[in-house]
Amino acid sequence: MGSNRKRKIYKHDITRAMHNVRLRFQRRMTVPMFHPQHISAVAEIFNYGYNELTRLVNLNSFRRVDKLVHAHYVIQTMTSSLANIKPADPRNRGAEELVWGTHGLESIHGLDDLDLIITGTEGEEDHASDGDENRRWFAEDRAREAERKHRQHNQPPETNSDSEEQANDKHVKSYYKKGKFSKSSV
């Protein structure tokens, strides 16, 4: 009734757990990140995983194989939580349609559905593109730099110093404008 072949008996408990399919060599997670609401949800899930795995490392009551089994359970819990994040991926599993575009390999399947989801939750407000943001930031930076140079150029000779605080302090500016011993400065 039995098999004539010799069964391989592994000596270590971790190897036996791997052989009995309780453990795997690696665990993978699929992390959705196509909606602004996903950022906080994913951060909470990763924070839970970090806390549980750190607690697990410091436990002395578990054997090493039990720690590994529990770590696999924590990662499986994180994976199932990530799969249940809303809004969900509008595509079916494996429905990615990848084409080579201007930015490399791009997924074009499901973009219309994604646009409907984001418009429904975030509104139809079209936020500025990255180029517009960069142009705005550089313009603000150039204006701040011009203002700083203008202020530095128009300082009275007494206030020229290496100190940034003194050059920007309103009290020091008014003190030198009024004069050191002026009655109105009291």
Side-chain angles (χ1 to χ4, degrees):
M1 294 305 230
S3 172
N4 288 345
R5 68 180 177 90
K6 276 183 124 178
R7 294 184 62 109
K8 176 74 174 168
I9 298 178
Y10 296 103
K11 296 177 182 163
H12 202 280
D13 54 352
I14 295 176
T15 314
R16 286 194 303 270
M18 296 286 284
H19 176 70
N20 294 333
V21 192
R22 288 193 338 187
L23 296 178
R24 295 183 185 167
F25 278 102
Q26 59 187 353
R27 300 295 299 198
R28 297 181 182 168
M29 289 187 284
T30 301
V31 181
M33 192 59 66
F34 60 86
H35 196 278
Q37 294 173 355
H38 289 167
I39 298 169
S40 61
V42 169
E44 289 175 14
I45 292 170
F46 281 172
N47 192 24
Y48 159 77
Y50 169 77
N51 291 336
E52 283 295 310
L53 292 174
T54 342
R55 183 183 66 83
L56 197 67
V57 167
N58 297 325
L59 282 179
N60 293 330
S61 59
F62 280 0
R63 298 177 305 161
R64 290 182 300 174
V65 68
D66 295 333
K67 286 183 180 183
L68 286 173
V69 169
H70 190 71
H72 277 258
Y73 170 74
V74 168
I75 294 173
Q76 182 61 38
T77 305
M78 290 172 58
T79 304
S80 65
S81 298
L82 287 169
N84 293 326
I85 288 180
K86 299 295 179 202
D89 192 347
R91 304 171 299 179
N92 294 329
R93 181 179 166 98
E96 297 90 4
E97 189 175 337
L98 303 174
V99 295
W100 286 102
T102 57
H103 303 292
L105 198 58
E106 299 173 350
S107 175
I108 60 169
H109 191 271
L111 291 179
D112 296 333
D113 298 329
L114 176 63
D115 193 43
L116 289 174
I117 289 172
I118 293 178
T119 304
T121 57
E122 298 289 315
E124 293 188 18
E125 185 176 301
D126 186 20
H127 298 285
S129 67
D130 292 339
D132 294 339
E133 280 291 312
N134 289 338
R135 279 191 290 280
R136 184 178 60 85
W137 288 337
F138 286 133
E140 289 174 1
D141 185 52
R142 284 192 294 272
R144 277 194 303 272
E145 186 66 24
E147 176 67 25
R148 187 184 67 77
K149 285 182 180 178
H150 179 71
R151 277 187 280 126
Q152 215 173 30
H153 177 69
N154 292 329
Q155 288 292 320
E158 296 92 2
T159 61
N160 285 343
S161 71
D162 293 334
S163 172
E164 288 290 326
E165 294 176 9
Q166 186 178 8
N168 296 328
D169 190 9
K170 291 180 181 177
H171 176 71
V172 172
K173 286 181 180 179
S174 65
Y175 180 72
Y176 281 105
K177 283 181 183 174
K178 293 177 184 175
K180 292 183 182 178
F181 304 105
S182 175
K183 292 181 183 178
S184 62
S185 65
V186 176

